[in-house]
Amino acid sequence: MSEIARRSEFPDTRGWIRALPARAASAPAFEPAVSAPAFDPAPTPQETFLRWLTDAVEAGIAEPHAATLSTVDPSGMPDARTLLIKDVTDDGWWFSGDDRSPKGRQLDTAPAAALTVYWRELGRQVRVRGPVLVGPLEVCARDFRERSVFARAVASTGRQSEVLADPAEYDRLVQERLTALEHDPEFVSPHWTAWCVAAGTVEFWQADPGRRHLRHRYRRKGDRWAAEELHP
């Protein structure tokens, strides 16, 4: 069992997700997936996702809230990176970052994305696709302030993914921001953004040893969800 408290012990889903460990772990030896709980889909994909995330937490999977975010650049070339899901609400799946980063620039020109979550040990994955919305200022500010002081300093340099000619430059920029945060601990970077994938489709995939994989897809129809099974 995981040492992380149960979701019911937190005031909201964001608080629970924020408490999940986000640290490197030794990769486990490859072995057949452990038995996943029986699939019993809920009325909405958010509810089903949180059930599966809870299963992953209780199975002791490292960083169970990690996901691959896929976007496209202005030329249509796909791009992807792994990040942490920050919240799951009725609106969708939330993640965050600096709007000057590659993903921020890509989402500004093409505000749509796919999130892929894979729990190898359980033989499960989830695919979320849809338009991406910018969250309100208070959500962006909360997300920024929930980061550690060092993480806030790094984020507020605004240099993510730029060429680093001299490692000393990085140290200097971060130290400058650390000093600034000491004098203004309530500072929130105006570039820090909380984005939400407002899913149009969400697919849940569960492996089967006989290759009869289970695929359950939700499709948004107005203000409700339609569910359907897919061929493996």
Side-chain angles (χ1 to χ4, degrees):
M1 292 289 289
S2 169
E3 296 180 357
I4 300 300
R6 297 181 181 276
R7 182 158 61 99
S8 60
E9 297 176 24
F10 287 82
D12 55 18
T13 299
R14 170 179 285 272
W16 175 63
I17 290 179
R18 290 290 300 184
L20 299 177
R23 57 179 179 270
S26 300
F30 181 76
E31 57 186 19
V34 299
S35 297
F39 182 40
D40 181 21
T44 70
Q46 288 93 333
E47 293 175 76
T48 300
F49 180 84
L50 289 173
R51 289 181 186 177
W52 278 27
L53 180 57
T54 298
D55 292 340
V57 170
E58 294 182 346
I61 294 174
E63 294 192 338
H65 51 325
T68 299
L69 174 74
S70 302
T71 53
V72 295
D73 68 15
S75 69
M77 183 67 68
D79 200 357
R81 74 288 290 157
T82 301
L83 44 66
L84 298 178
I85 293 172
K86 296 299 184 66
D87 199 4
V88 180
T89 67
D90 291 342
D91 294 321
W93 281 252
W94 293 79
F95 62 95
S96 59
D98 194 292
D99 63 11
R100 297 166 292 184
S101 67
K103 67 174 173 290
R105 296 194 301 270
Q106 291 166 8
L107 289 169
D108 183 57
T109 58
L115 276 173
T116 307
V117 183
Y118 179 48
W119 298 296
R120 190 202 72 171
E121 296 86 345
L122 294 175
R124 285 176 165 178
Q125 66 173 306
V126 181
R127 301 170 59 211
V128 181
R129 300 174 65 228
V132 175
L133 309 176
V134 175
L137 291 177
E138 60 268 22
V139 175
C140 300
R142 175 182 174 182
D143 188 276
F144 188 80
R145 291 194 181 103
E146 287 175 340
R147 298 170 65 83
S148 69
V149 174
F150 187 81
R152 278 179 274 157
V154 172
S156 58
T157 64
R159 303 293 290 274
Q160 183 182 6
S161 298
E162 293 184 9
V163 174
L164 179 61
D166 181 359
E169 179 187 14
Y170 168 83
D171 296 333
R172 177 182 61 79
L173 289 170
V174 172
Q175 186 55 55
E176 287 179 357
R177 296 310 308 157
L178 284 170
T179 301
L181 285 168
E182 287 179 4
H183 291 90
D184 184 10
E186 294 303 309
F187 169 80
V188 174
S189 169
H191 296 283
W192 194 255
T193 306
W195 289 282
C196 177
V197 181
T201 63
V202 185
E203 181 186 329
F204 293 81
W205 182 95
Q206 185 163 303
D208 178 80
R211 312 302 294 177
R212 177 62 172 89
H213 306 312
L214 183 152
R215 297 179 64 189
H216 186 86
R217 182 174 65 189
Y218 293 86
R219 288 187 298 115
R220 187 182 291 279
K221 286 192 171 184
D223 59 355
R224 65 183 184 86
W225 292 96
E228 55 204 356
E229 302 299 322
L230 303 178
H231 280 271

